[in-house]
Amino acid sequence: MERVGNDVYIVLGTFLLGSMLGQLLYRALCRGKGNAKTAKAGSKETRGQWDCGLATGSVDVIIVGAGVAGSALAHTLGKEGRRVHVIERDLTEPDRIVGELLQPGGYLKLIELGLEDCVEEIDAQRVYGYALFKDGKNTRISYPLEKFDSDVSGRSFHNGRFIQRMRKKVATLPNVRMEQGTVTSLIEENGIIKGVHYKTKSGQELEAYAPLTIVCDGCFSNLRRSLCKPKVDIPSHFIGLVLENCQLPYPNHGHVILADPSPILFYQISSTEVRCLVDVPGKKLPSVGNGEMANYMKTAVAPQVPSEIRNAFIAAIEKGNIRSMPNRSMPADPQPRPGALLLGDAFNMRHPLTGGGMTVALSDIVVLRDLLRPLSDLHDADALCKYLESFYTLRKPVASTINTLAGALYKVFSASPDQARKEMRQACFDYLSLGGVFSNGPVALLSGLNPKPLSLVLHFFAVAVYGVGRLLVPFPSPKRLLIGARLISGASSIIFPILKAEGLRQMFFPVAVPPYYRPPSVK
């Protein structure tokens, strides 16, 4: 009997020892997996935790895309303690001709998200305002930064360098995994988005699951149709050049030339490079291959470029690295679905003339972070979907102000044979040239420092009234009165369709739009 008891103790001891050794071996294997590849997912220990964690499906949020919006969101949610899985099609440094100007309002959001150091070590240039050129005259308008710290200003840089800095910072978070792969579709079960199907860099087809999937895969998104009704308009294209070793007339300022047929932009993106963007209206461009584009740039565009940088402009054309990109505009038209959310250019786009895209995206992330912060559990998909409907209203003041201004300014700044439109264009240039409140108000709107829709409408019609006043001085005439009436009518036809597309009630009366805010349910 005593021997039997000893045998039982031996068996139990052996079992416990085996269990302990098994657990130690399992953890060692997890750490071993983590040691293999760590460049994109943080520390070795982090990767090991992820390989174990993914096996149990303990991911809070899947983010599709790691551009400006996706990377900033991943870092923000990771800092909040969420377990995040980011899937990006290409983790090499992007090379784009837009997304290179961050307005001061966007820089303030970057500070709020703890990402301001991402504009360091990339040769980013400070931007303090704009210089406008028209018919041989020019004026400088500055951002109203007097109330802010000396560090606050706009920043211009290479888009790819900025994104890689953000991705590098994301990779330092132990609860965020960044993986290269192509998301092919969303996983849906009973009307609820449960995750994504994706293909890895090696071609392996996998599935990833999370209670919330946030799609921010950019302007070329192939998933947005599942989550909204996109109405994409392409009013023009940007032709991009890089001018080397030249000095802009106004250092540390963006330059806008009110050219014919539409604006030309110049701004410094490094200490030795100036980005030039030539807007070409319509959907068809001169051919680059047969030399039509170079000829167009030299004969139609170059004579309108300020003389100080004209030679550098022609040299950039002759160098031959001419690139183009369609300018897309798409009002936010969400179709909320449980388990998923759209963000960034996949969700909302505006003409890039004013450089407001990154400011809108970063502002949206701040709104979304604050909404998600009190929620410890994201698994009630229907309740979460209802709760996040308030996101679409809370984002409106900033997003709609910048969107509306971008669309309206593009139309006003573009040349037109119509006399009333010509007067509106000249009135806008003269109004901004007045300085003081006349320039501070519009540029505060453009920069994201004062995102107030009502202020936007007041300034827009103030420009129109100013234009009418110019027509009536010194003596009104029937012809001038008629042009003035058409100017007011034309101004209305420019801004009101944009306001309607953005949502008048959401912009001006957000409290009246249910649900404005729903606190999380207490369980």
Side-chain angles (χ1 to χ4, degrees):
M1 190 73 179
E2 182 179 345
R3 184 177 178 181
V4 172
N6 290 335
D7 288 343
V8 170
Y9 287 124
I10 291 171
V11 170
L12 287 172
T14 304
F15 176 77
L16 290 172
L17 181 61
S19 297
M20 291 171 64
L21 288 172
Q23 288 184 31
L24 289 171
L25 179 61
Y26 177 70
R27 291 177 183 177
L29 285 172
C30 286
R31 290 195 182 95
K33 291 178 183 178
N35 291 338
K37 296 179 182 178
T38 62
K40 298 294 186 291
S43 66
K44 295 178 181 180
E45 184 181 358
T46 298
R47 182 70 182 207
Q49 291 169 355
W50 259 104
D51 287 335
C52 296
L54 284 175
T56 61
S58 56
V59 179
D60 298 314
V61 181
I62 293 170
I63 296 176
V64 182
V68 172
S71 298
L73 180 64
H75 182 267
T76 300
L77 295 183
K79 280 207 315 178
E80 294 286 305
R82 309 284 184 185
R83 292 178 62 86
V84 182
H85 185 185
V86 185
I87 305 173
E88 162 60 34
R89 182 182 60 82
D90 186 357
L91 285 171
T92 59
E93 183 172 312
D95 183 15
R96 302 181 65 198
I97 65 172
V98 293
E100 297 174 314
L101 177 62
L102 180 66
Q103 296 287 2
Y107 182 72
L108 288 172
K109 296 299 179 184
L110 213 59
I111 293 173
E112 196 170 345
L113 295 171
L115 291 166
E116 67 273 18
D117 57 341
C118 291
V119 296
E120 299 172 2
E121 300 179 16
I122 59 173
D123 200 14
Q125 305 297 300
R126 290 174 179 266
V127 181
Y128 295 111
Y130 286 90
L132 299 182
F133 292 74
K134 184 181 186 296
D135 300 333
K137 297 181 180 180
N138 63 78
T139 186
R140 180 174 62 176
I141 54 177
S142 300
Y143 295 132
L145 299 173
E146 298 81 8
K147 297 179 180 178
F148 299 96
D149 293 339
S150 59
D151 186 55
V152 176
S153 67
R155 295 291 196 283
S156 53
F157 39 68
H158 281 271
N159 172 269
R161 295 177 186 175
F162 179 54
I163 288 175
Q164 290 301 88
R165 282 281 290 166
M166 296 181 81
R167 289 173 177 173
K168 184 178 179 181
K169 188 156 185 175
V170 170
T172 64
L173 296 175
N175 49 327
V176 180
R177 176 187 179 188
M178 192 173 289
E179 180 179 12
Q180 183 162 309
T182 301
V183 174
T184 54
S185 62
L186 301 173
I187 298 173
E188 181 180 348
E189 296 178 9
N190 301 319
I192 297 174
I193 304 301
K194 297 288 189 177
V196 298
H197 296 280
Y198 71 104
K199 187 177 292 186
T200 66
K201 186 179 179 181
S202 62
Q204 185 181 8
E205 295 186 1
L206 298 175
E207 296 176 349
Y209 292 87
L212 180 60
T213 299
I214 302 177
V215 175
C216 23
D217 54 348
C219 59
F220 301 104
S221 173
N222 64 340
L223 300 176
R224 66 160 63 101
R225 290 188 178 277
S226 303
L227 302 171
C228 75
K229 294 180 180 177
K231 298 173 184 175
V232 180
D233 181 36
I234 303 177
S236 65
H237 286 73
F238 266 156
I239 310 302
L241 296 169
V242 173
L243 283 58
E244 297 178 340
N245 299 310
C246 70
Q247 184 72 40
L248 289 170
Y250 293 95
N252 300 106
H253 283 69
H255 290 55
V256 183
I257 290 81
L258 304 189
D260 186 0
S262 51
I264 306 168
L265 306 180
F266 292 93
Y267 49 90
Q268 201 135 4
I269 55 173
S270 75
S271 53
T272 60
E273 297 165 299
V274 171
R275 167 66 69 196
C276 170
L277 295 173
V278 179
D279 186 85
V280 179
K283 294 179 170 47
K284 189 176 181 180
L285 290 173
S287 172
V288 174
N290 63 13
E292 285 182 5
M293 178 64 78
N295 183 60
Y296 170 79
M297 298 283 273
K298 287 181 179 180
T299 58
V301 180
Q304 303 183 76
V305 171
S307 58
E308 298 96 321
I309 54 176
R310 192 172 298 149
N311 289 338
F313 179 78
I314 294 172
I317 296 170
E318 291 175 345
K319 191 173 181 180
N321 189 20
I322 301 175
R323 302 172 61 191
S324 65
M325 181 172 181
N327 293 325
R328 291 174 166 83
S329 177
M330 186 183 78
D333 186 16
Q335 303 292 316
R337 296 187 65 185
L341 192 73
L342 270 174
L343 208 67
D345 283 350
F347 172 52
N348 183 205
M349 294 180 283
R350 75 291 309 148
H351 195 285
L353 171 69
T354 58
M358 289 188 287
T359 301
V360 172
L362 295 170
S363 175
D364 284 353
I365 290 168
V366 171
V367 172
L368 183 60
R369 177 202 64 183
D370 293 344
L371 277 172
L372 291 177
R373 182 169 279 168
L375 302 179
S376 58
D377 183 9
L378 304 178
H379 284 84
D380 190 338
D382 290 321
L384 180 64
C385 182
K386 274 289 185 186
Y387 173 67
L388 288 180
E389 284 180 27
S390 54
F391 166 76
Y392 303 112
T393 299
L394 292 167
R395 69 180 293 272
K396 276 293 178 180
V398 174
S400 294
T401 300
I402 292 173
N403 294 346
T404 304
L405 187 60
L409 274 184
Y410 176 69
K411 292 184 177 181
V412 171
F413 282 175
S414 296
S416 171
D418 180 61
Q419 187 61 37
R421 288 284 297 274
K422 287 181 180 179
E423 291 292 340
M424 183 70 178
R425 192 186 197 207
Q426 185 64 49
C428 189
F429 180 84
D430 291 344
Y431 183 88
L432 293 171
S433 300
L434 293 173
V437 67
F438 304 103
S439 65
N440 285 348
V443 81
L445 292 163
L446 180 149
S447 62
L449 294 172
N450 179 35
K452 295 181 180 178
L454 185 58
S455 179
L456 165 63
V457 173
L458 290 175
H459 276 287
F460 188 80
F461 280 103
V463 171
V465 171
Y466 177 75
V468 173
R470 290 174 64 257
L471 286 168
L472 301 183
V473 174
F475 300 106
S477 67
K479 182 180 178 181
R480 286 173 171 263
L481 284 169
L482 179 60
I483 294 174
R486 287 174 51 215
L487 193 157
I488 296 292
S489 174
S492 301
S493 67
I494 287 173
I495 197 166
F496 283 128
I498 303 174
L499 293 174
K500 183 180 178 182
E502 289 294 323
L504 287 168
R505 286 182 65 197
Q506 290 94 329
M507 285 181 68
F508 297 101
F509 309 104
V511 178
V513 181
Y516 179 65
Y517 180 79
R518 284 197 175 99
S521 57
V522 179
K523 294 185 178 181

